Amino acid sequence: MADNARAKRLADLIREVVAQKLQRGIKDPRLGTHVTITDTRVTGDLREATVFYTVYGDDEDRAAAAAGLESAKGVLRSAVGQAAGVKFTPTLAFVADALPDTSKKIEDLLDKARASDAQVRQASAGAAFAGDADPYKKPDDEDDTAGTDDTSE
C-alpha cells in the first residue's frame, strides 16, 4: 500500500496531464474549452483514480461532455501512464463535480437570508423599545420613604 504523499503526488500529476491533454490533445468537439478538471483523487493502492470535472453550459453540454470524456478515457489513461512512469496505470473514472450546484444553493440561501434581514430591518425602523431607555435602577432613584420610620417619636 502506498503512502498518502505518493497518492497525492500521483493525483496532482493525473489532474495536470488530463487537463493538458483535454486542452491540446483531444480533438473531440464535445469537450473543447467547456470542461474544467477541478480535483483528482487516487485510492491508497494507486489502482483507481477519480477525476472530478465541471462543464460550462447547460444540461445538454454536460451530457455531451460526459460522453466525450467516457470515449476519451483510453487516450487519457495512456497519457497518464506515459507521464507517471508507474508500474500500474490507474483506471480513470470521471465524475461531474457537484461544487457549482452546491455553491448556487448556498448563494440562494444567503440571498434569502439577506431578504429576511432587510424585512426585519424595515419592520424595526420606527419601533421603540418596550421599556425605559435605561432599565437599571440607580441609588438616587430609590424610594426615600422605605428607609425612614417615624415611629420613634
Side-chain angles (χ1 to χ4, degrees):
M1 183 161 192
D3 61 305
N4 287 337
R6 185 172 180 196
K8 175 73 172 131
R9 283 193 312 267
L10 183 60
D12 290 342
L13 178 72
I14 290 171
R15 186 181 69 239
E16 290 174 15
V17 168
V18 169
Q20 287 177 358
K21 193 72 173 170
L22 285 176
Q23 186 178 16
R24 296 189 184 116
I26 307 279
K27 301 297 182 204
D28 193 342
R30 297 175 290 185
L31 300 175
T33 58
H34 300 298
V35 178
T36 303
I37 304 299
T38 56
D39 193 19
T40 306
R41 295 187 185 145
V42 178
T43 58
D45 61 355
L46 306 178
R47 296 280 181 159
E48 298 173 6
T50 305
V51 180
F52 295 93
Y53 67 95
T54 59
V55 178
Y56 182 74
D58 56 358
D59 290 335
E60 185 178 314
D61 292 335
R62 289 185 191 118
L69 286 170
E70 198 62 34
S71 70
K73 188 183 287 189
V75 174
L76 294 172
R77 185 173 180 215
S78 297
V80 167
Q82 289 174 353
V86 291
K87 186 175 185 178
F88 181 80
T89 303
T91 59
L92 300 178
F94 292 97
V95 177
D97 200 352
L99 185 66
D101 296 332
T102 305
S103 65
K104 174 131 177 62
K105 288 178 185 175
I106 290 173
E107 284 295 324
D108 291 343
L109 290 172
L110 287 173
D111 289 341
K112 190 175 180 181
R114 284 186 199 104
S116 176
D117 287 348
Q119 286 178 345
V120 169
R121 198 175 309 114
Q122 186 179 22
S124 66
F129 290 106
D132 294 333
D134 188 10
Y136 300 105
K137 286 188 174 186
K138 295 184 175 124
D140 56 327
D141 288 345
E142 291 181 9
D143 243 354
D144 289 339
T145 59
T148 59
D149 257 346
D150 288 339
T151 57
S152 63
E153 284 183 48

